[in-house]
Amino acid sequence: MSAPEEILAELGLSVPDVVPPVAAYIPAVRSGNHVFTSGQLPMKDGALLSVGKVGGDVSAEDGYAAAQQCALNALAAVKAEIGDLSQVKRVVKVLCFVASTPDFTGQPGVANGASELLGKVFGDAGRHARSAVGVPVLPLDAPVEVEIVVEI
């Protein structure tokens, strides 16, 4: 089996630098055999991929891409904590918040941006429990925020 970063490269992606926290927290914490990430926003090269609400200013497709970027940022936080993504035995849980308009009900499809990426990178070990929750607003007016829990 290929290493997670090799798979990302095959997908035309890479693990970014860890996004600096925007408040009083750290990007990831290891406790026993698990790493818990803080909520990751869709930051790329120092800026949000998009801003606003999914179902309004942000399309479901752009929300999906934002969730994928959040997952990449979560992997960066995990890697910074453990040194090598090959140590990940399983993605246990994904929590995806989607800032959306009141009539938007496609949060699970948006969250698939994160879930499908993790599945491609880790194979069966990337299949996980998940919650996809619609919320009125997220920090910095981000459309999506994702946190993950992995077993190492």
Side-chain angles (χ1 to χ4, degrees), residues 18-37:
V18 176
V19 176
V22 298
Y25 61 88
I26 57 177
V29 174
R30 180 178 181 168
S31 180
N33 292 336
H34 292 89
V35 176
F36 300 78
T37 71

Side-chain angles (χ1 to χ4, degrees), residues 2 5 14 17 33 35 40 46 55-56 64-65 69-70 77 81 92 95 106 119 123 125 132 137 152:
S2 297
E5 290 189 67
S14 62
D17 291 335
N33 292 336
V35 176
Q40 299 293 315
Y64 178 99
Q69 186 63 44
C70 291
E81 188 65 27
V92 177
L95 176 56
V137 68
I152 53 173

Side-chain angles (χ1 to χ4, degrees), residues 2-148:
S2 297
E5 290 189 67
E6 292 171 353
I7 295 169
L8 283 169
E10 291 169 7
L11 296 171
L13 301 168
S14 62
V15 178
D17 291 335
V18 176
V19 176
V22 298
Y25 61 88
I26 57 177
V29 174
R30 180 178 181 168
S31 180
N33 292 336
H34 292 89
V35 176
F36 300 78
T37 71
S38 295
Q40 299 293 315
L41 299 178
M43 301 291 281
K44 184 175 183 179
D45 301 324
L48 289 169
L49 286 183
S50 54
V51 295
K53 309 293 180 280
V54 180
D57 298 333
V58 179
S59 69
E61 294 79 15
D62 288 343
Y64 178 99
Q68 178 176 289
Q69 186 63 44
C70 291
L72 285 170
N73 293 341
L75 291 176
V78 170
K79 181 179 176 184
E81 188 65 27
I82 64 172
D84 182 358
L85 291 177
S86 294
Q87 292 186 48
V88 173
K89 291 182 181 175
R90 172 170 200 89
V91 178
V92 177
K93 173 80 176 182
V94 172
L95 176 56
C96 181
F97 297 102
V98 182
S100 47
T101 59
D103 60 335
F104 183 79
T105 59
Q107 290 84 3
V110 170
N112 281 347
S115 293
E116 291 174 1
L117 177 69
L118 295 168
K120 289 175 185 173
V121 171
F122 296 105
D124 283 343
R127 298 183 72 210
H128 50 268
R130 184 183 84 185
S131 299
V133 181
V135 297
V137 68
L138 288 167
L140 307 178
D141 202 23
V144 181
E145 181 174 339
V146 171
E147 62 182 60
I148 68 173

